[in-house]
Amino acid sequence: MTPLASVKFDDDRRDYAPGDSLSGRLEVTTMPHADAVVVKAEFSVLWYTEGKGDQDIGVVHLERLWENRSQPAGEHHFSVRLPLLPLTYHGHLLKIHWLARLRLDLRPGQDVLVDEPFNVLAGD
Amino acid sequence: MVSRSRFFSPRLTVGNRPGASASPGCMTLFFGVFLLFGLGFLGFFGYQAWKEVRVRTVYRETTCVILNKRLKENSDSDGTTYAPEFTFRYTVDGRDYTCTGYDSFGATSSGRQGKLRVLAEYEIGGAYPCWYDPDDPERAVLVRKVSWMYAFGLIPLVFVGIGLGGVVWGVRNLGKSPEEQSASRAPAKGGALQPDWTQVLPPVKVVPGQFLAKRLQRGTSQGCELGGLLLFSLFWNGIVSVFVWHVVQEWQSGHRPYFLTLFMTPFLLVGVACALWLIRQLLVAGGVKETLVEIEREPVRPGETVSLRFAQPGPLSLYGLSARLICEEKISYTRGTDTYHESHVCEDRELFQMPAMQVPAGSSWDQTVSLTLPDDAMHSFHAGHNDLVWKIVVKGEIKKWPDFEHAFPFRVVTPKARRELE
């Protein structure tokens, strides 16, 4: 059993323009077992490359939410100003994706990632 | 409930993917081995250097008599190495000592003839200067010289440098998530990040133009290209020549090192090809004045039309001159210890194609063309292993001279990004 965690964007938007504000909320509702502790919870907004090339990653926002919590259940609101570049791209050898990521570092247990993808598209 | 496409389903993953990078703990261990290996070898060379210093500062000079001499040989699968070896007798405080050796390093190396020449310099029964250790008179050397073998001491320095860098990186990133590791490379501001989005644009060199606003510069400058080629050629051929010299000596001394000769042949061919390519590039650089490419605006936005002006100074006799607009995805990936590069051309458009012509000395051939980028053109992108490059490629076919092909990169950005850049 994994913790039920989610990343939700306001208005369920998926397409954003460069410079837009990306806002929403994070939720952690259940822990996998009673003695599990969230050593670290991080929220990040990042782009990453996908394709044949080695992966590149660019983090544009990083927040440490909680540390060493046995009951981290709760909500957290976020609002991030997106940079002007790069845009989402689907090429032949190279793809650029954007996502909002909640990372829970659990003890005992492995990291849990909740990824919510979105697009950054040319808006003008 | 709002329905979502499969792509937009929230992804919940246990583990480190996607976006994972090498674990700092593993990297620390890996580079720690590098560091230890390098330090071990550095320690060996340091010990040898310390012995050398003692020979020069502590050892005392005396006279010895050569009792015997021989060519010391060490053979293994890589061939045979040699060293001159003497047995000599000397007297310290009224007591006779007999020592075997030559210099303080005591290593064997290739080059049989050179060692034979050293042996010939000394005659059995002859008296020669030697130096002994006053703390341990049984130790002595016939010569005080710095061995060229110390040059190999530079190799462990590379291991130490790489190992130390890796260990420091690993220790600094212990306990950090891949996102935090990546974010630590961007400027931080109050916990949240304000990364510089211009970092994802390729570095493009642009100077003010004479006829249009900006003059594009070649992606790799001629000096850098030739310098890099020269350095690589010297480095490669320098190393290969040592082994080739060894093979030649083996053949001259009557040995038949067939395997080593066969093994060295491809390395020698690469060296020759590299030297020939260097000569070719020197001919191009020396015989052709660089094409000048000027652009009305830079960076350019998708859908925009800009003027481009090309100028080719003379004297030059051309079979043809052409220019193309190229958009290229370039990636690199690592498999084991090898790095591979691949590219894919997304846009390839001819800007002009000139037939054979003569450009007299002191004059210049000029051409102005109009360039319209596609409305849906992707912006330029630059990251560690992935790039999207827009460039103008000029190709010239020269009569009785090597052809040239020069790339002039420029940036394509979104309208909003350009407003910010301006």
Side-chain angles (χ1 to χ4, degrees), chain B residues 319-324 350-355 367 395 397:
Chain B
Y319 284 124
L321 185 70
S322 64
R324 306 190 75 83
E350 185 178 286
L351 296 173
F352 68 79
Q353 170 80 52
M354 296 304 296
Q367 172 89 7
K395 190 175 177 184
E397 294 170 63

Side-chain angles (χ1 to χ4, degrees), chain B residues 188-209:
Chain B
K189 195 176 180 182
L193 302 169
Q194 296 292 326
D196 181 5
W197 54 268
T198 59
Q199 285 178 358
V200 302
L201 289 174
V204 169
K205 287 168 276 180
V206 179
V207 297

